Amino acid sequence: MKKVLALLVALMMVGVMGTATAADKLVVGTNAEFAPFEYIGDDGKIAGFDIELIDAIMKLVGVEYEVISIEFDALLPALASGQINLSISGMTINEERAQNVLFSEPYFNASQKLMVVEGSAITCAADLKEGMKIGVQMGTTGDLYATDNLPAEVLRYNKILDAILDMKNGRLDAVMTDAAPSDYYAKAAGGLTVLPEELSEEKYGIAVKLDNTELIEKINAALAQLVEDGTYETIHAKYFTPAEE
Ligand code: GLN
């Protein structure tokens, strides 16, 4: 009988420890199609500014985590359903999203920009007329901006890179996305120009489930510490020249 009890206790402990470890490991969701913030590196691993920032944050918070990549417009539903515990994905803080998730303090300033093929007659947003086509990433603030403000037809892609390739193949007149990814992909794809006009003022935030104030407070405290101790600046300098933010 004692042996059976001991075995039972041992099994229960394994059970308890098993759950504890699983529960302690947070799942971070991103969409690794948004360089230099998040992308698949040469080694096949998810890399980028956001990924290094969240690593530094999680080390300070003191929890283990794993990063998974899902589609951008699946991030908010995944937070709500608990499939992921937090998301970092160059995500702009806006009112509509803030009704469904809790955002951290802003960690990056951004704006929408237009990208065209070199030599295009389009030099600013006002040149985009009815009958023209603009590519965006589905569910992003670029999608919202183009849909609300531009007379051109909006074509929605899962990956901004696919929109850029379609533009290079002559199927689109312009592509709209955030400034830093515009610069990154324009350079990588070649033959493209990023127009200087900044069409919006946006700030990125890390998001958690609406009721997870405990986690967001820890993330905010860690973020403040990383800015204070220079770690934020060190990570920033790896991905951006000082002129960009
Ligand atoms: N900042 C934009 C948004 O929040 C784009 C983000 C992205 O494509 N990863 O919608």
Side-chain angles (χ1 to χ4, degrees), residues 113-129:
K113 284 206 168 174
L114 283 172
M115 202 188 299
V116 293
V117 290
E118 252 166 39
S120 166
I122 299 164
T123 59
C124 62
D127 291 339
L128 278 166
K129 303 279 189 263

Side-chain angles (χ1 to χ4, degrees), residues 119-150:
S120 166
I122 299 164
T123 59
C124 62
D127 291 339
L128 278 166
K129 303 279 189 263
E130 230 178 292
M132 292 184 177
K133 288 184 176 139
I134 177 168
V136 298
Q137 188 184 12
M138 178 139 51
T140 58
T141 44
D143 182 357
L144 282 179
Y145 184 93
T147 307
D148 290 349
N149 301 292
L150 302 177

Side-chain angles (χ1 to χ4, degrees), residues 25-61:
K25 196 164 179 175
L26 295 184
V27 181
V28 176
T30 193
N31 173 239
E33 302 285 348
F34 200 62
F37 294 98
E38 41 270 328
Y39 54 91
I40 307 292
D42 293 336
D43 58 0
K45 290 194 183 129
I46 304 173
F49 174 83
D50 281 351
I51 307 306
E52 289 202 38
L53 184 62
I54 205 65
D55 182 64
I57 290 173
M58 288 295 117
K59 280 190 180 128
L60 285 179
V61 172

